[in-house]
Amino acid sequence: MEVFDYNDIQLIPNKCIVNSRSECDTTVEFGGRQFKLPVVPANMQTVINEELAVSLAQNGYFYVMHRFQPEARHDFIRRMHDQNLFASISVGVKPAEYDFIASLAADDLQPEYITIDIAHGYSDSVIKMIKYIKEQLPTAFVIAGNVGTPEGVRALENAGADATKVGVGPGKACITKVKTGFGTGGWQLAAIRYCAKAAQKPIVADGGIRTDGDIAKSLRFGATMCMIGSLFAGHLESPGKEVEEAGQKYKEYFGSASEYQKGAYHNVEGKKLLVPYQGSIYDTLQEMKEDLQSSISYAGGRDLKALRTVDYVIVKDTIYNGD
């Protein structure tokens, strides 16, 4: 098994066929809808809230609302639909979640996207929840995870998942491998590669993306969508608490399995970080678009498909230019 991560890979350029990078198309189809970019802010409480979800949906971007205000989800779906916007929510696998899904079915309130958001998604509890959602809300596009193996992908797809989320603890706010010895931290990109080879449906690469170039690498190795936390956490629109230290502005960013999210130090696999304040998220999304357009031009194509087949080299212990 060839093991590598984002910083070990460099993609090899092909002949450019466009006159301008602006000609390159970064749109992606996912769950029957088209979005401007193959990226989505992580469904974490310091990354996404309802206000940002509305704004992203209105502006042609995918979003996944977090699950940490469970009592608000019902009305959230209704408010999104009242604005003619798609509803994309997260659920867990505890017994109360079955009651929630049943209540949506009873009210004929069907969200377009449901993400089953579990740290260890290759489990009987997730398989059971996928089947229940598909039974109660058959039109919902179900994203299930997280997994890190081809076997996990196959199991969730066979249960009825429409997409699988790949990544076990590779994120900046994750400490899963430190606490448990398990995960895809340090070889996340290779995990995407192996999971994508087994997949019949879309893969969402979740965690470990530190630069815009990592988005292109994720697509090269089989991802359809990239879920990103730290790169989206420090913006004007980000719901994390603003903090000032030594004259520098930051925003808090913490993992879903951290004590700050749980409210207690119990089964902790996440930590809290301070992310430098970056202005508007739409400036970052525009930069991501431009960088991805450049990636497509280097790949020798006009759209994201060109990235799927480019050659690459593995350069271990690589450094940034000038370092």
Side-chain angles (χ1 to χ4, degrees), residues 8 10 22 71 86 105 111 118 148 165 189-190 214 256 259 261 268 272-273 286:
D8 301 318
Q10 289 186 45
S22 63
E71 71 287 348
F86 69 91
I118 301 297
K165 202 142 65 78
L189 189 57
D214 292 344
S256 298
E259 64 178 302
Q261 184 66 71
V268 168
K272 181 167 72 174
L273 305 169
Q286 178 61 28

Side-chain angles (χ1 to χ4, degrees), residues 12 70 118 174 257 286-287 293 304:
I12 299 175
I118 301 297
C174 296
Q286 178 61 28
E287 184 174 358
Q293 286 176 316
L304 296 175

Side-chain angles (χ1 to χ4, degrees), residues 5-191:
D5 211 347
Y6 289 104
N7 61 327
D8 301 318
I9 294 293
Q10 289 186 45
L11 305 177
I12 299 175
N14 288 325
K15 179 185 177 183
C16 181
I17 63 169
V18 294
N19 294 318
S20 168
R21 293 166 181 167
S22 63
E23 298 174 25
C24 296
D25 180 9
T26 63
T27 60
V28 63
E29 188 275 329
F30 188 68
R33 286 173 175 75
Q34 190 172 74
F35 300 102
K36 289 180 178 179
L37 286 173
V39 301
V40 56
N43 52 337
M44 302 163 76
Q45 197 167 339
T46 52
V47 178
I48 186 82
N49 60 8
E50 181 170 341
E51 185 178 358
L52 181 54
V54 168
S55 179
L56 290 169
Q58 288 174 334
N59 284 283
Y61 298 99
F62 186 52
Y63 76 90
V64 179
M65 185 61 181
H66 65 73
R67 62 181 171 87
F68 300 110
Q69 293 168 308
E71 71 287 348
R73 290 176 300 188
H74 201 283
D75 289 340
F76 171 79
I77 298 166
R78 201 180 296 280
R79 286 192 293 271
M80 295 301 284
H81 287 173
D82 286 346
Q83 297 174 77
N84 293 316
L85 300 172
F86 69 91
S88 177
I89 64 166
S90 301
V91 300
V93 294
K94 291 181 179 177
E97 299 291 59
Y98 286 86
D99 296 336
F100 169 62
I101 295 298
S103 74
L104 293 182
D107 291 345
D108 194 24
L109 193 60
Q110 303 220 17
E112 285 75 10
Y113 298 85
I114 299 178
T115 296
I116 303 174
D117 181 34
I118 301 297
H120 185 18
Y122 185 17
S123 65
D124 288 338
S125 60
V126 171
I127 289 169
K128 182 181 175 185
M129 178 57 81
I130 293 169
K131 292 178 177 178
Y132 187 73
I133 292 172
K134 282 297 184 182
E135 176 187 295
Q136 296 292 315
L137 303 169
T139 65
F141 185 89
V142 176
I143 305 163
N146 281 27
V147 299
T149 63
E151 294 81 10
V153 171
R154 292 189 193 101
L156 301 192
E157 285 189 350
N158 289 339
D162 299 296
T164 51
K165 202 142 65 78
V166 173
V168 180
K172 207 173 217 180
C174 296
I175 54 172
T176 302
K177 71 176 181 179
V178 177
K179 296 282 281 183
T180 71
F182 288 82
T184 62
W187 63 286
Q188 168 70 357
L189 189 57

Side-chain angles (χ1 to χ4, degrees), residues 6 28 30 37-42 62 165 192 203-207 209 212 214-220 223-229 232 288 292:
Y6 289 104
V28 63
F30 188 68
L37 286 173
V39 301
V40 56
F62 186 52
K165 202 142 65 78
I192 293 166
I203 291 286
V204 179
D206 181 15
I209 290 175
D212 291 355
D214 292 344
I215 299 167
K217 294 174 187 179
S218 298
L219 301 181
R220 165 59 182 85
T224 295
M225 187 69 70
C226 300
M227 179 168 274
I228 303 172
F232 283 131
M288 284 182 173
L292 199 49

